[in-house]
Amino acid sequence: MSARPSRRPIALRLLPLALGLLLLAGCAPDSQLSVPGMSITVNQPQGPQQVVGSIQILLLITILSLAPAILILMTAFTRIVIVLSIIRSAIGTPQIPPNQVVVGLALVLTLFVMAPVWGTINHDALQPYLQGQLDQQTAMDKAIQPLRDFMFRQTREKDLALFLALAKQPAPATPADVPTSALIPAFVISELKTAFQMGFVIFVPFLIIDIVVSSALLSMGMMMLPPSLVSLPFKLLLFVMVDGWYLVVRSLVTSFH
């Protein structure tokens, strides 16, 4: 009986040869094979300033780790990505455009919509702080204010009152009295409601096409043919004829003004 041929991957077959070449290179008289090393040391603080500096670095790393959540929850990203996802579902192509394209387009539109806010933060907080004109706490207060103004413009009073009541906060006299901890969740649910309202308006024309195609197929007795398969070309044709991406992007951007 003949031996069964080896089915090992090519990489495993070449592994002994690669190890042999590495050993030969390390044993060569003129070769210099070195492995980089890294060490981490923890020393006792010499004074309170070192402790404060270490805590500031730790807080900065924490803020950087929370940057994606801040981008999603405190900017226009939530509304944009939900509307784009609803459009994809309404057309009937759940994987086209791919998720990377949808998220990338939402991120680009978010940067475009939030550009005035970023510019104000850079002018009023970041650059003065880098030049030593502001301390850290003052710079953070000035940086959060443009974001608060943006969220206030997009937040419904009903949603804001809900979280103020849940937090048992008194009725604020001015917007400055509203805590950021209540403003952020109120802004998020307001964005979710707005996104679903826009998605409903966009979904209706495609739903009508599905109903018409389903009725036509049923009247012709073609019950075994999926209506979504027949309606997909018509929905794509409608979306292209009305220049759908132009209308959607214009509606999304202007909805924040």
Side-chain angles (χ1 to χ4, degrees):
M1 183 174 61
S2 60
R4 181 178 296 178
S6 176
R7 296 183 178 178
R8 293 186 301 172
I10 298 178
L12 293 179
R13 299 179 187 178
L14 296 179
L15 182 58
L17 178 59
L19 292 176
L21 292 176
L22 287 176
L23 291 176
L24 290 176
C27 295
D30 297 333
S31 64
Q32 294 181 357
L33 183 62
S34 60
V35 179
M38 182 179 62
S39 62
I40 300 176
T41 58
V42 179
N43 300 323
Q44 294 294 330
Q46 302 299 324
Q49 294 297 330
Q50 292 186 357
V51 177
V52 173
S54 301
I55 295 177
Q56 290 178 348
I57 293 175
L58 181 61
L59 291 177
L60 179 60
I61 295 175
T62 304
I63 293 175
L64 291 178
S65 64
L66 296 176
I70 295 174
L71 174 65
I72 292 174
L73 298 180
M74 298 178 64
T75 63
F77 183 84
T78 302
R79 181 190 305 185
I80 295 174
V81 75
I82 290 177
V83 172
L84 294 180
S85 299
I86 291 177
I87 291 173
R88 188 172 61 176
S89 300
I91 296 176
T93 55
Q95 300 299 328
I96 300 175
N99 291 329
Q100 294 85 348
V101 176
V102 172
V103 175
L105 179 59
L107 181 59
V108 171
L109 292 178
T110 301
L111 295 176
F112 179 80
V113 172
M114 302 296 296
V117 178
W118 304 140
T120 304
I121 294 175
N122 180 66
H123 182 268
D124 296 343
L126 181 58
Q127 294 302 324
Y129 174 72
L130 295 178
Q131 296 173 6
Q133 300 175 2
L134 297 176
D135 58 2
Q136 186 175 4
Q137 184 61 40
T138 306
M140 292 182 63
D141 293 339
K142 287 184 174 293
I144 195 64
Q145 189 58 43
L147 282 175
R148 285 173 55 90
D149 294 339
F150 172 79
M151 289 188 289
F152 269 119
R153 291 195 299 268
Q154 310 301 327
T155 304
R156 293 177 175 84
E157 295 183 1
K158 179 181 178 181
D159 298 331
L160 187 57
L162 169 65
F163 285 96
L164 289 175
L166 293 176
K168 298 181 179 179
Q169 296 283 343
T174 61
D177 298 332
V178 177
T180 306
S181 58
L183 177 59
I184 293 176
F187 169 75
V188 172
I189 64 173
S190 296
E191 287 293 282
L192 290 175
K193 182 177 181 179
T194 303
F196 275 86
Q197 288 176 344
M198 297 181 66
F200 171 77
V201 175
I202 295 173
F203 210 105
V204 170
F206 300 104
L207 179 61
I208 294 175
I209 293 178
D210 285 332
I211 294 175
V212 172
V213 171
S214 299
S215 301
L217 292 177
L218 184 62
S219 63
M220 291 186 295
M222 304 175 64
M223 295 177 292
M224 300 302 295
L225 186 63
S228 59
L229 182 63
V230 180
S231 63
L232 178 59
F234 295 99
K235 290 189 287 188
L236 290 176
L237 179 62
L238 173 65
F239 195 72
V240 172
M241 289 181 60
V242 299
D243 201 357
W245 291 115
Y246 171 84
L247 295 177
V248 169
V249 170
R250 187 184 67 176
S251 300
L252 280 171
V253 173
T254 54
S255 65
F256 291 98
H257 299 294

